Amino acid sequence: MANICVEMSKIEASVVEANKNGGVGIEQMPLDVKEKLISYLSPLDISRLLSTSRLVHSDISLARTVWPTSQEYLIRRCFRSGSERVTRRCFGVVVPYSQSDRYHSISLQCDWVDDSWTEQQAQLYIVSQPKTRLPNPLECAEAALTLPFDSDAVVANSSVVRFYKTTTALSFLPKPAEVYQLWCHLGLGSRHAVTLENITIQGLSYGSKKPKFEVHCPSLP
């Protein structure tokens, strides 16, 4: 929180200085201030900004990588708590690679719906796990699926699912020494059912070099 306050103070100082010269829009801000402002925006808001401001687009270059690479490989997952009363399922792992210092974000997006008639409780969580907890760094994506949920390491979470289909998106700033689990929390009880469709992972980075990351999203029973 302290770091954010310092950065916002720098941005405010730049705006005040520019206002002394007759006003300012984001197009007239220094490049480092533009990048700092954009770092607080969601991927959807960035797309809107770059599409409406040609001058901002000419200054700031953002490269994108999307997984899966083809629409025909879009992932669908169905989760039910069942008689074993499973409350959470880890359905995927994201492993960022080099140049994470230039990442803007990695995002999970999907369509989802509550298929049960019980109280709505389901939420999605993204949880960070240090690579040092994994037994084999070369197979860290698959190994990370077995690590337990850590409520103290949640980097993003969704609102509660609805009875009708909606689209949800979660974003986080990745770190190279961590892997990120994708969790679906179903809720307490044995009658919860949630369906996730069109699961996609998107990486955004500053510059022209596309961000690299691995996604492990296996079929689950």
Side-chain angles (χ1 to χ4, degrees), residues 74-126:
L74 288 177
I75 304 298
R76 182 177 188 270
R77 292 288 180 265
C78 298
F79 303 112
R80 286 174 171 77
S81 49
S83 59
E84 70 273 19
R85 296 180 180 269
V86 175
T87 60
R88 297 188 184 96
R89 299 295 296 271
C90 180
F91 64 93
V93 173
V94 179
V95 184
Y97 288 143
S98 60
Q99 303 214 350
S100 293
D101 58 321
R102 294 298 294 165
Y103 264 111
H104 170 273
S105 61
I106 290 181
S107 305
L108 161 68
Q109 180 172 309
C110 67
D111 301 324
W112 67 331
V113 63
D114 190 316
D115 294 323
S116 63
W117 292 100
T118 59
E119 180 184 357
Q120 296 165 308
Q121 298 182 25
Q123 287 181 271
L124 299 181
Y125 292 87
I126 299 178

Side-chain angles (χ1 to χ4, degrees), residues 36 49 59 74-75 117 131 148 155 163 186 191 213 218 220:
K36 186 56 65 177
L49 175 62
D59 277 351
L74 288 177
I75 304 298
W117 292 100
K131 290 182 179 179
V155 297
F163 285 131
L186 294 170
R191 300 176 60 187
F213 54 88
L220 298 174

